[in-house]
């Protein structure tokens, strides 16, 4: 297992020296120039043994524990390009973990190994425009058996990174009459060039459609046929696999958000200390700005400790599944707490920068656009607050209906 301090030092150097200088291309939407530059960085990361830090060594990763990768995710999170540089970007990271744990040998060879090598990208299709994302048990996309194949029909959106992806893991109802509503759906592996799979549009997220990995798509499945062995994991096990995917994913996201917070905090302090309201009177001399700085420092540090403690709880369990089960309340708590800290810190940093903060001359406006969704995806804040509240009440003898 690699030395974590050494890995962190190298990751921080890559972010500062190689990725931050490329950010103006991303912020300007110049993906034609950005992609070859990122391909070069990714090749360097493979050579420098910083590739796939989230995966076990047996699957081509660094073999870091979840609590160790949490620190790496924070360091990578300081740049929007960080996770992509080492092949740990969402949704590929979660898809790789799912395939590593549940794919057949043939599926691993066909789908996991190219992902691990960074030769292709993947996406994950679950959310539907016709149904509330806060209730994932309700979906219309269905997969039915016909002549030994699965036939998929449905409509998905916010399918991150569909643009340019080679494969899509799809949640679809396979057993509509199952006794438990959580046993009705399964996951299926679908090549994105399958006939009947249509890319409707890239969604304009606060006006920004992006491209490639930096985009979200609306897609349709119209009689898409895949073989019977396209099923990932057990039939009817889609929700169980989705929950298994979300536990580590929330650790990854929360620590990435903390990396964003630290970068925004550094920018806020630097600007407040140098921007003068009048000769000899910097912004930092104002009590309001000092309050923003103090509150941000405390909230970021508290968020980090909370997430790391949750990651340690999961990592200490005999299996990741058991760890997630034991820490499920903490996982819900960090999801809404850190998302709130992220939004507050970004808002303070942008406000400190004034008009400059509204421009894409810094990453602040980019993060405000794209990370506002942190309080929505992977379960909205309100759902996670409900989980925590019900468990606290249950521990005190109160049973609250859903």
């Amino acid at each position: 297992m690699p030395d974590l301090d050494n890995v962190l030092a190298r990751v921080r150097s890559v972010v500062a020296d190689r990725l931050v200088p490329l950010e103006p291309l991303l912020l300007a939407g110049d993906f034609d120039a950005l992609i070859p530059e990122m391909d070069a960085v990714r090749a360097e990361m493979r050579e420098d043994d910083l590739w796939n830090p989230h995966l076990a060594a047996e699957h081509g990763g660094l073999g870091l524990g979840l609590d160790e990768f949490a620190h790496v995710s924070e360091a990578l999170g300081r740049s929007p390009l960080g996770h992509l540089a080492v092949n740990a970007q969402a949704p590929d990271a979660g898809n790789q973990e799912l395939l590593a744990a549940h794919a057949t040998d043939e599926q691993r060879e066909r789908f996991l190994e190219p992902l691990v090598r960074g030769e292709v990208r993947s996406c994950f299709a679950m959310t539907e425009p016709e149904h509330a994302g806060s209730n994932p048990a309700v979906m219309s996309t269905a997969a039915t058996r016909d002549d030994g194949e699965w036939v998929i029909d449905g409509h998905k959106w916010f399918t991150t990174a569909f643009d340019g992806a080679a494969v899509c893991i799809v949640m679809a109802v396979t057993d509509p009459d199952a006794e438990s509503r959580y046993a009705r759906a399964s996951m299926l592996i679908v090549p994105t060039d399958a006939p009947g799979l249509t890319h409707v549009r890239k969604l304009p997220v606060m006006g920004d459609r992006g491209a490639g990995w930096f985009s979200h798509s609306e897609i349709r499945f119209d009689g898409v046929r895949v073989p019977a062995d396209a099923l990932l994991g057990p039939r009817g096990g889609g929700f169980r696999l989705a929950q298994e995917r979300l536990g580590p994913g929330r650790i990854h996201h929360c620590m990435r958000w903390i990396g964003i917070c630290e970068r925004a905090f550094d920018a806020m302090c630097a600007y407040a200390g140098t921007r003068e309201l009048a000769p000899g009177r910097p912004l930092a001399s104002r009590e309001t700005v000092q309050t923003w700085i103090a509150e941000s420092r405390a909230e970021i540090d508290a968020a980090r400790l909370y997430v790391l403690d949750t990651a340690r709880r999961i990592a200490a369990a005999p299996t990741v599944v058991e760890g997630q089960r034991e820490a499920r309340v903490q996982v819900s708590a960090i999801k809404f707490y850190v998302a709130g800290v992220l939004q507050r810190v970004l808002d303070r940093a942008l406000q400190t920068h004034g008009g400059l903060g509204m421009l894409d001359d810094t990453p602040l406006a980019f993060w405000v656009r794209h990370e506002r969704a942190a309080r929505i995806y992977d379960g909205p804040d309100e759902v996670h607050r409900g989980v925590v509240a019900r468990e606290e009440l249950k521990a005190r003898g109160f049973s609250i209906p859903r």
Side-chain angles (χ1 to χ4, degrees), residues 232-402:
L232 176 60
R235 179 169 175 169
F239 287 104
R240 180 172 62 80
L241 267 63
Q243 287 302 311
E244 183 178 328
R245 183 181 192 273
L246 284 174
R250 285 175 181 145
I251 299 293
H252 298 179
H253 277 311
C254 286
M255 292 305 290
R256 179 177 64 83
W257 297 339
I258 291 169
I260 293 171
C261 286
E262 286 287 7
R263 176 89 178 274
F265 182 75
D266 286 348
M268 176 169 60
C269 290
Y271 196 77
T274 57
R275 182 67 164 181
E276 291 189 334
L277 300 170
R281 294 171 56 196
L283 270 174
S285 66
R286 290 295 175 259
E287 184 177 355
T288 296
V289 176
Q290 293 172 7
T291 297
W292 291 343
I293 291 171
E295 289 181 344
S296 296
R297 180 73 276 157
E299 288 182 328
I300 295 169
D301 289 348
R304 178 186 296 106
L305 291 172
Y306 202 177
V307 178
L308 290 176
D309 180 65
T310 305
R312 280 191 291 267
R313 287 171 183 254
I314 297 174
T319 66
V320 172
V321 174
E322 291 176 89
Q324 290 179 184
R325 187 180 304 117
E326 293 171 7
R328 66 185 184 86
V329 178
Q330 289 87 349
V331 168
S332 279
I334 62 171
K335 171 59 172 62
F336 74 77
Y337 180 73
V338 183
V341 171
L342 171 65
Q343 185 175 358
R344 291 191 294 274
V345 171
L346 283 175
D347 188 69
R348 293 168 189 148
L350 190 151
Q351 189 74 7
T352 299
H353 282 73
L356 174 61
M358 300 295 295
L359 306 179
D360 284 329
D361 291 11
T362 80
L364 294 175
F366 174 90
W367 278 322
V368 168
R369 287 194 301 272
H370 289 274
E371 302 300 343
R372 174 58 181 84
R375 294 182 52 211
I376 298 172
Y377 61 68
D378 287 355
D381 285 3
E382 294 75 15
V383 170
H384 290 292
R385 287 193 175 99
V387 169
V388 175
R390 284 193 298 272
E391 288 299 316
E392 290 296 328
L393 290 164
K394 180 180 177 181
R396 290 158 176 78
F398 301 100
S399 179
I400 306 299
R402 289 178 179 269

Side-chain angles (χ1 to χ4, degrees), residues 8-20:
L8 285 172
R10 289 190 291 148
V11 166
R12 289 167 182 149
S13 176
V14 169
V15 169
D17 299 338
R18 297 289 280 117
L19 300 181
V20 170

Side-chain angles (χ1 to χ4, degrees), residues 5-334:
D5 288 339
N6 176 266
V7 171
L8 285 172
R10 289 190 291 148
V11 166
R12 289 167 182 149
S13 176
V14 169
V15 169
D17 299 338
R18 297 289 280 117
L19 300 181
V20 170
L22 296 180
E23 289 175 358
L25 296 176
L26 170 66
L27 300 180
D30 190 354
F31 295 100
D32 289 341
L34 176 63
I35 289 171
E37 293 284 354
M38 284 303 300
D39 286 344
V41 174
R42 282 162 61 85
E44 292 172 18
M45 296 304 96
R46 283 191 291 266
E47 292 296 321
D48 292 344
D49 294 326
L50 291 176
W51 196 245
N52 295 322
H54 57 296
L55 288 179
E58 65 187 284
H59 296 300
L62 293 189
L64 299 175
L66 180 61
D67 50 341
E68 295 174 310
F69 176 69
H71 292 280
V72 176
S73 190
E74 177 184 348
L76 293 169
R78 289 183 63 93
S79 172
L81 301 170
H83 287 75
L84 179 62
V86 298
N87 209 40
Q89 69 279 4
D92 289 294
N95 289 345
Q96 290 167 12
E97 290 168 343
L98 273 181
L99 289 164
H102 299 286
T104 64
D105 290 342
E106 183 179 351
Q107 287 172 338
R108 288 195 185 99
E109 181 179 358
R110 182 179 176 188
F111 300 111
L112 176 60
E113 292 180 11
L115 279 173
V116 169
R117 293 192 297 265
E119 296 169 355
V120 299
R121 288 190 292 99
S122 64
C123 55
F124 186 80
M126 181 171 179
T127 304
E128 299 178 352
E130 294 83 6
H131 303 290
S134 59
N135 186 6
V138 178
M139 66 175 62
S140 297
T141 300
T144 57
R145 290 297 297 269
D146 181 62
D147 291 336
E149 294 181 311
W150 290 103
V151 182
I152 307 172
D153 291 280
H155 186 196
K156 301 287 188 179
W157 71 347
F158 286 99
T159 301
T160 299
F162 180 89
D163 182 29
V167 63
C168 183
I169 296 179
V170 183
M171 282 280 284
V173 175
T174 53
D175 299 89
D177 299 322
E179 184 175 346
S180 170
R181 61 177 181 161
Y182 296 110
R184 296 172 186 167
S186 304
M187 289 189 183
L188 297 104
I189 307 172
V190 181
T192 56
D193 61 357
L197 176 49
T198 305
H199 184 207
V200 178
R201 59 172 176 153
K202 285 187 288 186
L203 301 172
V205 178
M206 295 190 179
D208 187 357
R209 283 185 169 81
W213 176 62
F214 295 98
S215 66
H216 309 275
S217 289
E218 178 183 357
I219 60 178
R220 285 191 178 275
F221 298 83
D222 297 303
V224 175
R225 288 182 172 268
V226 291
D229 61 7
L231 202 67
L232 176 60
R235 179 169 175 169
F239 287 104
R240 180 172 62 80
L241 267 63
Q243 287 302 311
E244 183 178 328
R245 183 181 192 273
L246 284 174
R250 285 175 181 145
I251 299 293
H252 298 179
H253 277 311
C254 286
M255 292 305 290
R256 179 177 64 83
W257 297 339
I258 291 169
I260 293 171
C261 286
E262 286 287 7
R263 176 89 178 274
F265 182 75
D266 286 348
M268 176 169 60
C269 290
Y271 196 77
T274 57
R275 182 67 164 181
E276 291 189 334
L277 300 170
R281 294 171 56 196
L283 270 174
S285 66
R286 290 295 175 259
E287 184 177 355
T288 296
V289 176
Q290 293 172 7
T291 297
W292 291 343
I293 291 171
E295 289 181 344
S296 296
R297 180 73 276 157
E299 288 182 328
I300 295 169
D301 289 348
R304 178 186 296 106
L305 291 172
Y306 202 177
V307 178
L308 290 176
D309 180 65
T310 305
R312 280 191 291 267
R313 287 171 183 254
I314 297 174
T319 66
V320 172
V321 174
E322 291 176 89
Q324 290 179 184
R325 187 180 304 117
E326 293 171 7
R328 66 185 184 86
V329 178
Q330 289 87 349
V331 168
S332 279
I334 62 171

